[in-house]
Amino acid sequence: MSTAAVARRPRSQLGPALVMIAPAALGFLVFYLYPTLRGAYLSLTEYNVLGSPVFVGLRNYVDMVQDDVFWNAVRVTLLYVVLNIGFQTVLAVGLAVLMHRLTKSVLIRGSLLLPYLIANVVVALLWYWMLDYSIGIVNAVIDAVGLPQVAFFGDETWTVATIAGVNTWRHLGYTALLVFAGLQMIPASVYEAAAVDGAGEWRTFWRITLPLLRPVLVLVLVITVTGAFQVFDTVAVTTGGGPGNASRVLQLYIYEQAFARGHFGYASAMSVVLFLILAGAAFAQMRLLRAGESDLT
Amino acid sequence: MKRSMLAGAVALASLSLTACAGGSSGAEPDGQIDYWLWDANQQPAYQQCADAFHEANPDLTVKITQRGWDDYWSALTTAFSSGTGPDVFTDHVSKYPELVANGQLLPLDEHVADVDLDQYSPGLADLWVAQDGKRYGLPKDWDTVAIFYNQQMVEDAGLTAEDMEQLDWNPDDGGSYEAAIARLTVDANGVRGDEPGFDKDDVAVYGLGIPGAGYENGQTEWSMYTATTGWTHTDTNPWGTHYNYDDPRFQETIAWWYSLVEKGYMPPLETTVGASVNDNFGAGKAALNISGDWMLSTYFGYEGVDVGLAPTPTGPNGQRASMFNGLADSVWAGTDDPEAAAQWVEFLGSTDCQDLVGAAGVVFPAITSSAEIATEAFAAKGIDVTPFTTHVEEGTTFLFPVTDHASDVHAIMTPAMDEVLGGKADVSSLTEANDQVNALFE
């Protein structure tokens, strides 16, 4: 084979490559890039969807800084993310390690994924009914054992934790599965060496499993944190943001401003801010937790 | 929803999709009129109307689409902006002013010039004339509120149906109305709310169940009390430009209302988040509810509960009061055939259709004679609807407040009322909310 042929090869593959990429690229352009750019533009306008956008400069952003409900939504969302990601990650790692070390049964491993296969809205409504103050089964049990009933969704002190718990229940199996996949990439020889050196399960977990799992864990965290910031459906079909503003998370407030109150410009501005928060959070996690490097060398 | 890496993509994508989709209302077959409504209970009756309309106008067919209230308005907005809105739709007084302001409704004046507006219950037709003096809807029905009570519980409390019909109320001690509610409240040990030893922290049956804090209008929550004090939501109605949530008469009434929670006669707000107020009633968790006539078939559908009806209590002005709301059918400005759409609206607003709706016995039609048919249809089901109709006969109704900025008012007053009824803020905090509301009109 001549050198000229080698040099030509990339050019000859460019055409097919572009054809292969085109469907995904088209989808990206139409459904992600264009909407994002248009959203950024709309954030500088006053727009109620039925009329035409009117350019107002940075006024939406100035309004946002002065909007107590917006800041409250940021606080509520952060609280939700901390609770949801905290519980979910710890439980998922625990569950994955149990799957990895204790069982080879596909049935058990598969059944852990079941909640994830139910639609989010269905899960939310199911728990909404089960946790109802007056006629929910959970409170019936609490009442039967003599404890005071709890208004899980209605009490301001409980509502965000309840929503975080419901979503943890649904996503736990899926998150555990991702972590489990990461565990399987850790060579068995490392565990054998640890066993030979007399390390117990506890020490093995902290010294072997967790450090070698780090790159996968970072990926899982970036995905779940990004998702958690966008919590919407569970709140929308249960509390609708109440009581008061206790569960009015950012995405719900954005939706309300846009679709219920007709302030699409202001809603776009908040979407842009949420975008920046998420991009920052993802970047910080990748950097601080050294996602690109593995300790396995 | 959980996995998108692109922040805000959901909101942003929906934004631009609605913004860039082209008009395509021409896609529907010729002679088809798209019609939207939200109440599934009423759909069969309106299908009868649609069939009768098609019979009278063989070249026109009505296609009915039903969507629940929660999705109805956002679906309408997106359909309008993408050019695929229904030709005709059921409209609400709290929503249509903004649609008029955005040029989405077709003025009906020239199309319905020959309709006799006097055939409708007084006041209903006026609700649908906007500030520009043009008509944007023809009345289709009306509603009032009344007390729904559990007959067995009332009997056990030693009260009679006559007692329930003659309750009086005032904001100071609640009158015989509060006394009845207290009597009907029972704690877990069987002690009644007006007896010594009543445990307000462990109540088994609340005297009065509530759906929530009542938003900006309090239609089934507090408006039947506030109106008897002489208070009105706005300076004028329709088209008021100043709200009155800072009025002492309003705040005193809400303070009394909240006192029922403190006394244990009414469920704390946090416990109302969940199962609907009517389902709690059906489950025997409350003895009284106040609700609208549109809920009649739901309440009377609970098995094992004998439901009684009573008019709302008389207040300080010596009269009862009920909010009076009426829906109408409106035509979308983007309709491809305004003539046909208006023809359907006119049919919906005529006895041809409203007699059919009345006979179904689910709601009171706007035409007086059709409403009488509905009263008979309810009677045939064993339901005496006098507590609802008495307001219309005695003239004790007041209209649902119609103003601009209704959705912003709703968004401000919802959390503000929640705070008060949740015990997180004093009624005086409503003055600040009122300032925010009135700032919208400046």
Side-chain angles (χ1 to χ4, degrees):
Chain A
M1 198 187 285
S2 73
T3 49
V6 173
R8 257 203 319 275
R9 198 194 285 160
R11 241 178 296 146
S12 69
Q13 288 183 341
L14 184 65
L18 286 178
V19 171
M20 303 282 220
I21 294 169
L26 192 70
F28 175 77
L29 289 175
V30 173
F31 294 111
Y32 284 92
L33 193 64
Y34 173 71
T36 308
L37 294 177
R38 187 171 164 81
Y41 161 67
L42 286 177
S43 76
L44 302 174
T45 68
E46 190 173 315
Y47 179 47
N48 67 8
V49 135
L50 297 172
S52 321
V54 179
F55 189 79
V56 294
L58 291 174
R59 205 182 70 200
N60 287 326
Y61 292 91
V62 175
D63 288 349
M64 203 188 311
V65 173
Q66 294 164 347
D67 182 355
D68 293 340
V69 182
F70 168 75
W71 289 110
N72 178 69
V74 170
R75 278 192 298 274
V76 170
T77 309
L78 281 174
L79 176 63
Y80 168 82
V81 170
V82 168
L83 289 173
N84 178 246
I85 296 303
F87 288 125
Q88 189 169 293
T89 309
V90 170
L91 290 172
V93 170
L95 204 58
V97 170
L98 289 178
M99 273 200 272
H100 186 54
R101 307 288 287 167
L102 287 183
T103 176
K104 295 262 186 287
S105 160
V106 177
L107 192 70
I108 292 177
R109 288 174 180 179
S111 63
L112 294 174
L113 203 59
L114 273 180
Y116 188 71
L117 303 180
I118 311 171
N120 237 0
V121 169
V122 176
V123 169
L125 288 176
L126 188 79
W127 281 102
Y128 195 47
W129 278 98
M130 293 203 299
L131 294 176
D132 185 75
Y133 182 84
S134 309
I135 55 182
I137 189 161
V138 175
N139 269 310
V141 171
I142 290 175
D143 197 36
V145 299
L147 293 170
Q149 283 151 276
V150 180
F152 288 102
F153 281 100
D155 190 333
E156 284 190 19
T157 47
W158 280 92
T159 182
V160 176
T162 304
I163 291 161
V166 168
N167 282 340
T168 299
W169 182 80
R170 179 170 185 268
H171 294 279
L172 182 58
Y174 176 75
T175 314
L177 198 73
L178 293 179
V179 177
F180 177 67
L183 287 176
Q184 289 189 314
M185 288 177 1
I186 301 173
S189 57
V190 190
Y191 285 104
E192 282 158 17
V196 168
D197 289 345
E201 279 292 333
W202 189 245
R203 203 177 166 83
T204 310
F205 173 77
W206 285 105
R207 291 298 171 89
I208 307 258
T209 307
L210 218 47
L212 293 180
L213 195 60
R214 202 198 60 240
V216 172
L217 214 51
V218 175
L219 179 76
V220 169
L221 271 176
V222 170
I223 292 173
T224 54
V225 167
T226 309
F229 265 104
Q230 298 182 58
V231 57
F232 172 78
D233 36 15
T234 314
V235 185
V237 299
T238 57
T239 63
N245 287 316
S247 61
R248 203 169 305 277
V249 291
L250 210 41
Q251 279 279 30
L252 188 78
Y253 191 48
I254 291 172
Y255 169 82
E256 252 179 23
Q257 283 285 1
F259 290 93
R261 303 173 68 175
H263 304 158
F264 279 79
Y266 188 54
S268 300
M270 287 194 285
S271 297
V272 169
V273 169
L274 179 60
F275 173 78
L276 294 176
I277 292 175
L278 286 181
F283 183 74
Q285 289 176 83
M286 302 286 265
R287 264 309 180 69
L288 293 174
L289 294 166
R290 295 178 293 127
E293 310 159 25
S294 169
D295 295 337
L296 251 187
T297 36
Chain B
M1 184 79 203
K2 262 238 156 187
R3 270 186 301 155
S4 167
M5 287 294 284
L6 229 132
V10 174
L12 293 179
S14 357
L15 283 177
S16 30
L17 281 178
T18 54
C20 66
S24 58
S25 57
E28 70 191 46
D30 276 350
Q32 178 173 310
I33 300 169
D34 276 320
Y35 178 57
W36 283 18
L37 48 77
W38 65 77
D39 189 349
N41 284 332
Q42 297 179 35
Q43 191 175 357
Y46 282 102
Q47 188 57 54
Q48 286 184 323
C49 288
D51 295 343
F53 181 72
H54 179 67
E55 219 161 278
N57 306 277
D59 52 331
L60 295 174
T61 311
V62 177
K63 179 170 172 271
I64 300 182
T65 305
Q66 184 266 333
R67 286 171 190 270
W69 171 267
D70 289 342
D71 304 321
Y72 189 82
W73 298 101
S74 54
L76 258 189
T77 310
T78 42
F80 287 162
S81 76
S82 63
T84 57
D87 301 293
V88 180
F89 63 98
T90 306
D91 207 349
H92 193 274
V93 289
S94 70
K95 305 284 184 179
Y96 95 91
E98 282 163 79
L99 295 175
V100 170
N102 289 313
Q104 295 300 314
L105 297 187
L106 189 76
L108 297 175
D109 301 82
E110 54 180 282
H111 299 284
V112 298
D114 52 339
V115 173
D116 172 22
L117 297 176
D118 291 335
Q119 65 181 328
Y120 303 115
S121 282
L124 291 184
D126 301 338
L127 279 174
W128 297 90
V129 177
Q131 283 168 301
D132 59 7
K134 293 181 181 152
R135 166 166 302 284
Y136 290 97
L138 266 195
K140 62 188 299 161
D141 59 21
W142 55 261
D143 52 66
T144 53
V145 302
I147 295 173
F148 292 72
Y149 63 85
N150 185 314
Q151 287 187 353
Q152 188 62 49
M153 290 180 185
V154 165
E155 196 179 305
D156 291 347
L159 293 162
T160 64
E162 288 71 41
D163 293 333
M164 298 303 292
E165 281 164 22
Q166 288 160 9
L167 298 172
D168 62 79
W169 169 85
N170 65 69
D172 304 319
D173 64 4
S176 64
Y177 179 62
E178 180 175 332
I181 289 171
R183 182 88 193 131
L184 286 161
T185 305
V186 184
D187 75 10
N189 300 317
V191 180
R192 292 189 174 275
D194 59 356
E195 292 171 348
F198 168 70
D199 180 3
K200 70 186 182 74
D201 295 319
D202 196 4
V203 177
V205 178
Y206 286 102
L208 178 62
I210 46 162
Y215 317 112
E216 78 287 3
N217 61 67
Q219 185 172 22
T220 62
E221 293 85 2
W222 42 257
S223 67
M224 68 299 287
Y225 316 127
T226 52
T228 64
T229 67
W231 180 82
T232 53
H233 289 74
T234 51
D235 50 355
T236 54
N237 193 31
W239 308 111
T241 54
H242 185 91
Y243 276 84
N244 298 323
Y245 301 116
D246 57 345
D247 190 303
R249 288 171 296 183
F250 173 73
Q251 298 191 355
E252 278 165 20
T253 303
I254 298 301
W256 165 82
W257 193 46
Y258 174 64
S259 78
L260 295 185
V261 174
E262 291 180 306
K263 293 169 189 163
Y265 304 158
M266 198 163 84
L269 182 70
E270 66 258 28
T271 68
T272 67
V273 177
S276 63
V277 60
N278 40 285
D279 282 347
N280 272 312
F281 178 90
K285 302 285 183 184
L288 298 190
N289 274 180
I290 292 181
S291 194
D293 55 74
W294 65 90
M295 290 300 287
L296 276 164
S297 44
T298 307
Y299 274 91
F300 281 86
Y302 289 114
E303 274 185 41
V305 181
D306 287 326
V307 182
L309 292 173
T312 52
T314 54
N317 67 355
Q319 294 191 318
R320 311 180 190 286
S322 167
M323 192 176 271
F324 191 46
N325 187 26
L327 307 181
D329 292 300
S330 295
V331 177
W332 175 42
T335 177
D336 48 359
D337 190 349
E339 283 299 327
Q343 213 177 327
W344 168 234
V345 168
E346 197 173 336
F347 187 81
L348 286 166
S350 70
T351 48
D352 290 342
C353 172
Q354 301 209 351
D355 284 357
L356 288 173
V357 174
V362 286
V363 68
F364 295 109
I367 298 176
T368 321
S369 60
S370 308
E372 282 160 17
I373 295 176
T375 302
E376 285 162 29
F378 280 118
K381 296 180 186 177
I383 305 173
D384 177 5
V385 291
T386 313
F388 292 102
T389 54
T390 181
H391 289 289
V392 179
E393 282 151 18
E394 312 226 324
T396 51
T397 59
F398 60 96
L399 291 170
F400 192 102
V402 182
T403 68
D404 276 333
H405 308 293
S407 49
D408 283 329
V409 174
H410 175 80
I412 293 167
M413 289 309 294
T414 299
M417 290 301 297
D418 274 8
E419 295 285 303
V420 171
L421 198 66
K424 305 278 192 277
D426 187 72
V427 285
S428 59
S429 67
L430 295 170
T431 301
E432 196 195 321
N434 193 57
D435 292 342
Q436 282 184 46
V437 166
N438 285 327
L440 296 168
F441 293 86
E442 280 161 12

